[in-house]
Amino acid sequence: MTNPLLEDWTTPFDMPPYDRITDDDYAEAFEAAMAEARANIAAIADDQEAPTFANTIEALERADETLSKVLSAFYAIAGADSNDKREALQREFSPKLAAYGSEITMNKALYDRIAALWEQKDKLDLTDEQKRVLYLTHRGFVRAGAQLDGVERDRLKEVKQRLAVLGTEFTQNLLADERSWFMELTEDDLEGLPGFVVDTARAAGEEKGANGPVVTLSRSLIVPFLQFSPRRELRERAHRAWTSRGMNGGKTDNREIAGEILKLREERAKLLGYENFAAYKLETEMAKSPEAVRDLLLQVWKPAKAAAEADAAVLTDMLHEDGINGDLEAWDWRYYSEKRRKIEHDLDEAELKPYLQLDRMIEAAFTCANRLFGLEFRPLDVPGYHPDVRTYEVLRNGKHLAVFIGDYFARGSKRSGAWCSAMRSQQKLAGDIRPVVINVCNFAKPEKGKPALLSYDDARTLFHEFGHALHQMLSDVTYESISGTSVARDFVELPSQLYEHWLEVPEVLGEFATHAETGEPMPKDLLDRLLAATTYDAGHSTVEYVASALVDLEFHDGNAPADAMARQQEVLDELGMPKAIGMRHATPHFAHVFAGDGYSCGYYSYMWSEVMDADAFEAFKENGGAFDPAMAEKLEQNILSAGGSEEADVLYTRFRGKMPGVEALLKGRGLLDDAA
């Protein structure tokens, strides 16, 4: 029997035939595809012909096509529907992939060919895009250690392999903690909880095989529980479980792993000639230096902390009015903040949530993309990796543009958070290859027969991830290495955060925020109250984010700490972290930073991009409104379709005319008055 992963797929748009793939197929396919990729690399390196852009750079772009095909199918399911077999495969694959990557970048004959092309780049008659790809390829090899030799070369290879193993362990430990913990609730414990929270808790209980409702560590359940449960002891128990992920002792404890990762990153940077990992990592980002990152974060920290402390005083008074003496604690904040929001904005999550149906919010995201970019979405009947997966063909003017996959519901087999990935990226080198893009979220799955309801924050997450998807779907470049979201890390969040703004457009909510039972649109007064409260509690959300970003920065700017948890506390103490607010991601569950290198020393990038997204949406408002066709075309041409074909600041300046300052961000978060 042939391995379906290694066949030519005859499915619509060459989608993985998940109905035929078994977990036993992945290892065999991985080894075969790896052998093919190695042979292709060897053929390029050993080519007796003089190096050309075609026989070296373009050949490299296509060397691992089969391997990418196998891995994209595997990692899509491994991240969103894991099991023991898939986790074992991840542990097996990660060091092998790291070793393979090192073999490529440390292949002296291969690097010599690339270096020869780089030396004669001005004589090669390359297109602008080819010049960019050559520059990035050469830079990537140098930064990966291609110029090292001897003991240093061997040690760097060992470091990379160990980091790959540790990142996988960190992720799987976190998933294990999230999957195993739940808190059973009695009927009395449901007192004070709105119907949608009760329904979600009952559905979670069914999924866990419990005898009744439960609270899990899914954000879409634990956050509303913390908002609404009047039982302080249960809030404390749930909050402590949520914040102690990865630090419960035993085999899933991530604290030592995080410390070892930081030490290895420092060693990696120094082997490559950098002062520390921050200097190495930020060299290729828009920020360029730790000083620039720190300056931005501290500009935002001061007004955010002032706003949070003012809010804490009000919430503490509310706590005392309830007859509870002592300080406001982290497990109190959301509960009293929700009560305060109802008082000051006459806004109740229980009143709001029936108007934010998942299906209608998906429709809203699609419709905005249609109005802005002419995209159409048609359901596709193809096998998915899980029954919850929804698949769509994306067209423009009747022509196929992409495949979009949405996987929206939380489950124990899915890692937490939300993300966008490309199962296949857009490129033209191997033909007109159109992308297959996945959005994964963790929204609460309703009881059977009931509609899925979102919080406003959930709806923003949906739009955010769809903004990433647009960056992939609208990509229009020749080379996969610069396609879609292959841009600087502190630029990649611009399209996603910018797209969130369309959820706040009154006419969008006016059309798609309809009641789950009556079908009636959201009343105008409720809509007005919702939009007026979009910056409510911004001090809290900004403080928890900036604290995490600054801890990430300080971990990497200097020598690796002897004790990561002690260093985390030092940074928070230096900042004067408000007592009742924790980091959004404490070190043992800071997957952005420790699950891999993507956001390491890069968690600040959300805020760096937010400076631009606030300014970019202002451009729409200044030039005809949210759906101005000229601005939409300008956004697509200069940012969404361009991928990494030019430096990020060049692309943004071409779109907007100039780079923005922090004021638009502070204004957008309602913190401008606190900045003085």
Side-chain angles (χ1 to χ4, degrees), residues 587-637:
T587 297
H589 54 262
F590 206 163
H592 277 80
V593 171
F594 293 106
D597 268 359
Y599 282 88
S600 57
C601 200
Y603 193 61
Y604 77 92
S605 60
Y606 290 92
M607 188 148 281
W608 193 275
S609 292
E610 189 176 342
V611 172
M612 290 178 283
D613 83 65
D615 178 65
F617 196 66
E618 251 339 281
F620 275 86
K621 292 195 284 187
E622 292 169 4
N623 292 278
F627 293 100
D628 182 74
M631 288 305 302
E633 183 179 2
K634 201 172 182 182
L635 177 65
E636 179 177 350
Q637 288 183 349

Side-chain angles (χ1 to χ4, degrees), residues 233-275:
E233 72 282 2
L234 294 182
R235 296 201 310 267
E236 179 179 359
R237 184 179 166 196
H239 187 271
R240 287 191 183 279
W242 175 246
T243 55
S244 64
R245 292 167 295 153
M247 53 185 295
N248 291 307
K251 64 181 182 180
T252 64
D253 198 295
N254 275 333
R255 285 172 287 191
E256 288 189 8
I257 291 175
E260 186 179 353
I261 287 172
L262 293 173
K263 289 180 174 64
L264 289 172
R265 285 178 180 162
E266 178 191 7
E267 183 180 359
R268 175 183 176 184
K270 289 184 174 177
L271 283 168
L272 292 167
Y274 294 86
E275 183 179 359

Side-chain angles (χ1 to χ4, degrees), residues 51-364:
T52 66
F53 190 85
N55 70 18
T56 302
I57 305 300
E58 290 187 343
L60 260 178
E61 290 271 329
R62 301 193 60 182
D64 59 0
E65 286 178 349
T66 303
L67 183 61
S68 295
K69 173 182 167 181
V70 171
L71 290 177
S72 64
F74 172 70
Y75 280 109
I77 194 171
D81 191 24
S82 190
N83 59 29
D84 290 345
K85 177 73 171 180
R86 292 163 193 166
E87 289 183 9
L89 288 169
Q90 284 181 284
R91 293 192 295 272
E92 178 186 342
F93 292 171
S94 61
K96 291 181 178 180
L97 286 168
Y100 167 70
S102 293
E103 287 172 21
I104 295 173
T105 53
M106 295 181 178
N107 184 317
K108 187 176 186 308
L110 180 59
Y111 174 66
D112 286 346
R113 293 178 70 85
I114 295 168
L117 291 171
W118 178 246
E119 287 298 317
Q120 55 181 314
K121 59 184 179 295
D122 295 331
K123 304 174 184 177
L124 296 179
D125 192 27
L126 302 178
T127 66
D128 288 343
E129 192 175 324
Q130 289 172 331
K131 291 175 184 176
R132 176 71 173 168
V133 170
L134 175 58
Y135 163 72
L136 293 174
T137 303
H138 180 261
R139 185 182 73 177
F141 269 70
V142 171
R143 285 173 52 82
Q147 295 177 332
L148 298 180
D149 51 36
V151 174
E152 290 183 335
R153 173 187 290 254
D154 293 340
R155 178 55 186 160
L156 183 59
K157 184 177 180 179
E158 292 173 358
V159 166
K160 288 181 180 180
Q161 286 184 252
R162 181 61 180 160
L163 283 169
V165 170
L166 292 172
T168 301
E169 288 182 5
F170 188 98
T171 303
Q172 293 187 353
N173 288 346
L174 181 55
L175 176 60
D177 277 5
E178 291 171 345
R179 185 167 49 204
S180 63
W181 187 92
F182 61 89
M183 180 174 69
E184 295 188 8
L185 302 176
T186 67
E187 291 301 313
D188 288 344
D189 294 336
L190 302 177
E191 177 189 348
L193 298 178
F196 73 86
V197 180
V198 173
D199 290 345
T200 302
R202 292 194 191 282
E206 290 180 14
E207 198 251 344
K208 292 294 184 184
N211 293 321
V214 303
V215 174
T216 69
L217 295 182
S218 168
R219 180 177 288 273
S220 58
L221 177 50
I222 197 167
V223 168
F225 181 80
L226 293 171
Q227 283 179 297
F228 291 105
S229 176
R231 296 181 177 261
R232 194 178 192 223
E233 72 282 2
L234 294 182
R235 296 201 310 267
E236 179 179 359
R237 184 179 166 196
H239 187 271
R240 287 191 183 279
W242 175 246
T243 55
S244 64
R245 292 167 295 153
M247 53 185 295
N248 291 307
K251 64 181 182 180
T252 64
D253 198 295
N254 275 333
R255 285 172 287 191
E256 288 189 8
I257 291 175
E260 186 179 353
I261 287 172
L262 293 173
K263 289 180 174 64
L264 289 172
R265 285 178 180 162
E266 178 191 7
E267 183 180 359
R268 175 183 176 184
K270 289 184 174 177
L271 283 168
L272 292 167
Y274 294 86
E275 183 179 359
N276 53 52
F277 186 78
Y280 164 76
K281 185 64 184 293
L282 295 173
E283 179 185 50
T284 60
E285 308 298 337
M286 294 182 75
K288 300 301 182 190
S289 70
E291 292 74 24
V293 174
R294 190 176 292 106
D295 179 63
L296 169 67
L297 293 174
L298 291 177
Q299 282 187 69
V300 179
W301 174 259
K302 182 179 177 182
K305 182 185 175 187
E309 289 176 335
D311 290 339
V314 175
L315 301 184
T316 300
D317 288 343
M318 295 174 70
L319 176 79
H320 293 167
E321 287 170 7
D322 274 355
I324 301 172
N325 296 321
D327 295 335
L328 182 77
E329 301 288 354
W331 48 87
D332 297 317
W333 191 291
R334 284 184 170 88
Y335 177 70
Y336 285 102
S337 181
E338 179 64 27
K339 292 179 73 171
R340 181 187 177 196
R341 185 172 74 151
K342 188 171 182 179
I343 294 168
E344 295 187 0
H345 292 276
D346 192 20
L347 199 60
D348 182 349
E349 185 85 6
E351 177 190 12
L352 176 64
K353 202 155 186 174
Y355 290 99
L356 299 174
Q357 300 175 68
L358 171 61
D359 290 349
R360 294 292 278 156
M361 292 299 101
I362 294 171
E363 190 181 352

Side-chain angles (χ1 to χ4, degrees), residues 527-643:
L527 176 59
D528 291 343
R529 283 181 275 136
L530 170 63
L531 294 176
T534 52
T535 61
Y536 176 73
D537 214 18
H540 176 276
S541 61
T542 306
V543 161
E544 64 173 9
Y545 165 78
V546 174
S548 296
L550 282 166
V551 167
D552 171 35
L553 178 66
E554 300 306 336
F555 272 163
H556 297 98
D557 186 23
N559 295 329
D563 183 329
M565 297 303 292
R567 181 59 181 139
Q568 172 185 291
Q569 192 57 51
E570 286 175 8
V571 174
L572 298 180
D573 289 344
E574 290 166 5
L575 288 170
M577 184 75 170
K579 179 178 182 294
I581 305 178
M583 294 168 62
R584 182 169 297 176
H585 305 289
T587 297
H589 54 262
F590 206 163
H592 277 80
V593 171
F594 293 106
D597 268 359
Y599 282 88
S600 57
C601 200
Y603 193 61
Y604 77 92
S605 60
Y606 290 92
M607 188 148 281
W608 193 275
S609 292
E610 189 176 342
V611 172
M612 290 178 283
D613 83 65
D615 178 65
F617 196 66
E618 251 339 281
F620 275 86
K621 292 195 284 187
E622 292 169 4
N623 292 278
F627 293 100
D628 182 74
M631 288 305 302
E633 183 179 2
K634 201 172 182 182
L635 177 65
E636 179 177 350
Q637 288 183 349
N638 294 302
I639 294 176
L640 297 178
S641 71

